[in-house]
Each structure stands twice: as structure tokens, then as C-alpha cells.
Amino acid sequence: LGGVDLDIPNGQSLAIMGASGSGKSTIMNILGCLDQPTSGTYTLDGNETAKMDDETLSKIRGQQIGFVFQSFNLIPQLSIEENIEVPLYYQRVPPNERRRRTLEMLDLVGLSNRIGHKPGELSGGQQQRAAIARALVTKPSILLADEPTGNLDSQTGNDVLKLFDLLHDEGLTTILVTHDEEVGNRCQRVIHLKDGLIDKDTQTT
């Protein structure tokens, strides 16, 4: 990144677009508190992340930010409900509460009928829905998705995007990194990066 000035209001749906090497992954890692900027500041909910210790940053990643990856990153040996419970296990949420919240998320993403199945027994779209459920089970205020439809056919990708639309309608801040103009146009705002700079910043709705 070569000097990006960006303000993302709470509850906005934002698409970040650009060619490979334009800085999309870097900006996503900074927004997700995975990386720190080498200069400049990133302020999240009024707090400057560079002044936070590792434990605080880890807590923010675990509780405030949900991550959805193109490759799903599900653990193949675990059932989908066990995969979804993983973040809650690390937060020391009691087993009964873990189970209750996991079933709630499975219902939300339309996978209640796949309980007991492992990732390898699910279609790509179902695996992505399980990954979204895992990202949501901690009740984050921000959902970051990296090419969430990149490995899906168009119909399945559209179903996943409808789920993102629903989550945004419920007040969740959604930030999608994508190459797909159609995906970008579903968001309220589209930022195009070029050579580490914001080339265009467009409000779509």
C-alpha cells in the first residue's frame, strides 16, 4: 500500500477490488488486525491498533472480526458443527452454549440438515456456508471475506451472496475482497485499488 486514506462507517457493505498485487490482501490483513501498517494509523472503534498488545489484538480478532476465506479452511477431520465450534472453544465458552450457538448458525446458513457431516461430504457451496457460520458464531461486528465466491459456480455463488446481503441488512459491517464486478456491485460502496493506492471510491447505493 502506498498511502491509503479510508473511513468505513459501521454497518456499511464494502467491496475492495483491483488487479493482483494492487494491495487488496494487504489492506484486508490490516483491517482484520492480522498485520500492522509500517506507517500511518489504523483506528478501529476509536482505538489505534498499533498501541494494542498482542493479547488485545488476538481478542479483537476472536470477538469483533469474522473471517471467511476462499479456500474455506475447514478442518477435514471434524464435523461441520465441530468446525463451527472451534472459535468458541478458544474463547472458553461452555459446551452447552457452544452447541446452542452453533445450531443457531447452522440454521441461519441453511445447513441444519447436514449435522454430523464432515467437510469432504459437503459441496463447495455448503462448505462456504459452514465457513460463514464459523465466522459468525462469535457474533462479530465486522465480517471480512476474501474472494468468498471464487471457488463456486455462479448459482452457488449467488446463494452465498444472498446470505451476505441478509447479514448486511441485519446491520453487520461486511467487507468483501473480490475480482468480480458483479459481486462488487451488490455492495453499497466499491473501492478500486491500483498500485497500492485508491484509484476509485464509488457509492453504488
Side-chain angles (χ1 to χ4, degrees), residues 14-75:
L14 170 70
I16 299 173
M17 305 190 69
S20 295
S22 62
K24 298 191 306 297
S25 295
T26 304
I27 202 168
M28 188 174 188
N29 287 345
I30 290 172
L31 292 173
C33 297
L34 295 169
D35 289 335
Q36 290 285 6
T38 47
S39 63
T41 57
Y42 170 40
T43 304
L44 177 63
D45 285 342
N47 300 303
E48 197 176 316
T49 58
K51 295 179 179 175
M52 299 175 185
D53 58 28
D54 287 345
E55 188 178 344
T56 304
L57 286 169
S58 179
K59 194 173 285 187
I60 285 172
R61 286 193 298 270
Q63 296 177 358
Q64 283 184 255
I65 302 169
F67 296 93
V68 180
F69 304 97
Q70 180 178 356
S71 55
F72 316 136
N73 288 3
L74 298 170
I75 301 167

Side-chain angles (χ1 to χ4, degrees), residues 36-159:
Q36 290 285 6
T38 47
S39 63
T41 57
Y42 170 40
T43 304
L44 177 63
D45 285 342
N47 300 303
E48 197 176 316
T49 58
K51 295 179 179 175
M52 299 175 185
D53 58 28
D54 287 345
E55 188 178 344
T56 304
L57 286 169
S58 179
K59 194 173 285 187
I60 285 172
R61 286 193 298 270
Q63 296 177 358
Q64 283 184 255
I65 302 169
F67 296 93
V68 180
F69 304 97
Q70 180 178 356
S71 55
F72 316 136
N73 288 3
L74 298 170
I75 301 167
Q77 296 85 355
L78 301 181
S79 66
I80 56 165
E81 62 270 27
E82 288 169 337
N83 266 284
I84 293 165
E85 282 188 24
V86 166
L88 300 178
Y89 174 81
Y90 285 112
Q91 289 181 16
R92 297 185 172 87
V93 174
N96 287 348
E97 176 65 5
R98 289 205 306 263
R99 183 72 177 181
R100 186 192 69 76
R101 283 164 66 173
T102 295
L103 293 176
E104 187 184 319
M105 289 303 107
L106 282 168
D107 188 49
L108 175 70
V109 301
L111 286 177
S112 296
N113 61 339
R114 308 299 282 175
I115 289 172
H117 289 74
K118 291 183 177 175
E121 299 171 303
L122 304 181
S123 68
Q126 289 170 333
Q127 288 186 59
Q128 187 61 294
R129 284 171 176 271
I132 292 169
R134 181 185 56 195
L136 295 173
V137 78
T138 57
K139 303 190 187 316
S141 54
I142 302 168
L143 187 65
L144 286 172
D146 188 8
E147 298 284 1
T149 60
N151 284 331
L152 307 177
D153 63 73
S154 57
Q155 179 57 55
T156 306
N158 194 49
D159 290 342

